[in-house]
Amino acid sequence: MRINADLHIHSRFSGATSDRMTIAALSVEAPRKGIDVLATGDCLNSNWLKEIKTCAVIDEGTFELNNTRFILSTEVEDASRVHHLLYFPSFSAIETFKAAIRSKSKNLETDGRPNVAMTGVELASIAKEVDALIGPAHAFTPWTAMYAYHPSVEHCYGEMSPYVSFIELGLSADTDYADTIQELQRLTFLTNSDCHSPHPVRLAREFTRFEVGEKTFSEIKKAILRTGGNKPVLNVGLPPQEGKYNESACISCFTHYTLEEAIRRRWKCSCGKRIKKGVRDRIREIATFREPQHPAHRPPYVHLIPLSEIIAKALGQHTPFTQSVTKRWDELITAFGSEVTVLLDADLAEVARVTVPAITAAIRAFRDHKVIIIPGGGGKYGTIELPTDEDPVIPASLGPKNSQTSLLDY
Ligand SMILES: [Zn+2]
Ligand SMILES: [Zn+2]
């Protein structure tokens, strides 16, 4: 079976997260985004673990509420500020892992994403002992990512490198970016939302589709390891330009710079503050290949813009967090079941019957690749613009259903 999984989120027990990040809210919101399995995030935190334990037990590593499956995961920050993602097979594996890091972490019980005064090598070897999967989170971002502090996977994980089976691409990168780096060719690429809120513009803005036998931890583990016929079959995510660290830009006034300009200015903006190296430029510097070389196992990557962002633009709203955007989003999800269906698969004539012409036109522009993206950088998300020459009136006959690839194909 094919399942959609978002394997990196944070609970309300992590810093700067929404109070609405409860297991109950997530279990209801996930299917509306077309998601079958969520990783819990923050599973080293006792309060969050208590909440996870209210779900029905499918097996040692798989839990369920409202038809949404959960697997056990966390993110930790190591001694050199690198973020690692971990996936655990059971509650007992979590307890053993916690016992091994407890003396090295001051905020193990107070922050959902603890800081651990250990190296990547040490963390990976404890992970291996408890049979947990480990890999770098948002590997290319400028603050807390593997490539910000290490020139290579090997440099970060040392002799444990062969145990690392995946990297998370992060919002500002995609498969074309990452497959210019030779050492990443053997790894599975995960696309996850890393969301701090269950709002539909955040939850599952990136996800991975897997071929598995069942919706369980062990089957997903096999898919990440690409064994027994299990595998990732599709990565879905934002266009990398929408990420907040896509281009090199000032962290204060958000002026963008080319790599050459930033180097010439010694990474100092004209306003005096720091220019942060964007993911695009970081990858250009460490790339082995000029053009992406996709290994045979690499699945396709489909770029999706969150539907509520498209609706907000169509309605002329400044943010997707308004009531009128939510109302229009709800109408479409109620009619078509999930966001992915509305964005890619629903017949536009049907969409036009449910919503206002401006929104139908905006969805059509997205499918036709006509949405303009103004790149993000310096910590500010990219933004979208709709084409101005579009006629918002939808003709009765629309021709072919989709010009964008349908996700049903994968
Ligand atoms: Zn992180
Ligand atoms: Zn500046």
Side-chain angles (χ1 to χ4, degrees):
M1 68 193 300
R2 304 244 151 148
I3 58 162
N4 295 332
D6 179 357
L7 301 182
H8 184 177
I9 64 167
H10 289 280
S11 75
R12 66 188 184 287
F13 300 107
S14 274
T17 52
S18 160
D19 286 347
R20 292 181 57 231
M21 276 308 224
T22 64
I23 287 285
L26 287 162
S27 73
V28 173
E29 294 303 325
R32 285 149 63 84
K33 291 284 296 192
I35 293 295
D36 305 287
V37 177
L38 284 176
T40 60
D42 298 3
C43 75
L44 303 180
N45 182 281
S46 296
N47 287 320
W48 189 233
L49 208 53
K50 234 181 264 169
E51 203 163 312
I52 296 165
K53 287 179 177 172
T54 62
C55 295
V57 177
I58 303 299
D59 62 34
E60 271 197 299
T62 318
F63 307 88
E64 186 177 271
L65 185 66
N66 295 321
N67 276 324
T68 298
R69 292 274 171 105
F70 291 92
I71 64 167
L72 302 166
S73 76
T74 193
E75 183 181 42
V76 299
E77 183 172 311
D78 75 13
S80 55
R81 302 203 61 208
V82 175
H83 285 190
H84 305 267
L85 276 175
L86 290 125
Y87 300 104
F88 293 91
S90 63
F91 290 133
S92 63
I94 291 173
E95 290 315 316
T96 311
F97 185 85
K98 279 176 79 168
I101 64 165
R102 195 176 303 277
S103 66
K104 301 285 188 183
S105 178
K106 292 196 180 83
N107 60 353
L108 187 55
E109 291 299 351
T110 50
D111 198 327
R113 179 181 54 211
N115 298 68
V116 187
M118 288 181 154
T119 63
V121 187
E122 289 167 331
L123 286 167
S125 71
I126 302 170
K128 190 178 178 190
E129 273 168 39
V130 303
D131 225 5
L133 297 177
I134 187 168
H138 43 77
F140 309 103
T141 48
W143 296 105
T144 49
M146 184 183 74
Y147 281 114
Y149 302 103
H150 298 279
S152 66
V153 175
E154 169 101 51
H155 194 269
C156 179
Y157 293 100
E159 79 261 19
M160 294 306 296
S161 308
Y163 187 67
V164 174
S165 51
F166 68 87
I167 70 157
E168 181 186 64
L169 296 178
L171 305 181
S172 296
D174 66 7
T175 296
D176 275 351
Y177 281 43
D179 269 337
T180 59
I181 301 165
Q182 186 159 30
E183 66 164 350
L184 301 182
Q185 302 251 306
R186 70 170 183 89
L187 298 176
T188 290
F189 290 170
L190 295 183
T191 31
N192 300 316
S193 72
D194 196 357
C195 66
H196 293 201
S197 142
H199 190 281
V201 83
R202 300 277 186 255
L203 180 67
R205 55 191 162 177
E206 307 218 331
F207 62 87
T208 310
R209 178 171 291 179
F210 295 107
E211 173 70 41
V212 290
E214 293 176 286
K215 291 188 278 184
T216 60
F217 169 78
S218 54
E219 286 289 308
I220 291 171
K221 178 183 172 182
K222 278 202 257 169
I224 292 173
L225 299 175
R226 303 193 306 273
T227 57
N230 290 15
K231 58 188 178 181
V233 292
L234 182 68
N235 289 105
V236 178
L238 301 177
Q241 296 80 4
E242 276 223 65
K244 27 180 180 180
Y245 297 109
N246 184 253
E247 292 193 345
S248 296
C250 171
I251 57 168
S252 175
C253 72
F254 306 110
T255 302
H256 286 225
Y257 292 91
T258 63
L259 181 58
E260 295 71 20
E261 235 179 314
I263 291 169
R264 206 173 51 236
R265 293 178 150 275
R266 296 167 193 264
W267 300 93
K268 231 189 176 134
C269 179
S270 51
C271 80
K273 291 285 165 48
R274 271 168 91 185
I275 303 168
K276 266 292 172 186
K277 192 184 289 177
V279 165
R280 195 195 58 178
D281 289 334
R282 181 178 308 285
I283 288 177
R284 250 180 69 198
E285 283 186 328
I286 57 180
T288 332
F289 314 119
R290 197 181 283 270
E291 296 295 324
Q293 308 278 323
H294 302 299
H297 69 80
R298 187 76 65 222
Y301 193 111
V302 170
H303 296 113
L304 284 191
I305 295 171
L307 177 61
S308 38
E309 217 181 319
I310 292 172
I311 293 173
K313 266 292 154 197
L315 297 179
Q317 310 258 313
H318 292 300
T319 87
F321 303 101
T322 65
Q323 277 184 351
S324 46
V325 173
T326 305
K327 178 175 167 278
R328 294 300 180 190
W329 188 85
D330 278 337
E331 273 170 7
L332 286 164
I333 302 309
T334 305
F336 297 101
S338 82
E339 178 163 331
V340 167
T341 309
V342 175
L343 282 172
L344 295 180
D345 298 319
D347 188 293
L348 280 177
E350 301 282 330
V351 171
R353 270 195 275 280
V354 175
T355 193
V356 295
I359 292 174
T360 313
I363 294 170
R364 183 175 52 169
F366 164 71
R367 289 186 187 182
D368 291 345
H369 303 282
K370 285 184 179 159
V371 173
I372 301 144
I373 301 163
I374 297 134
K380 194 173 164 196
Y381 283 112
T383 52
I384 61 167
E385 293 295 338
L386 297 173
T388 46
D389 56 340
E390 281 285 324
D391 179 0
V393 181
I394 301 298
S397 159
L398 289 162
K401 192 175 105 184
N402 286 323
S403 34
Q404 165 121 10
T405 325
S406 164
L407 283 206
L408 299 174
D409 297 341
Y410 302 102

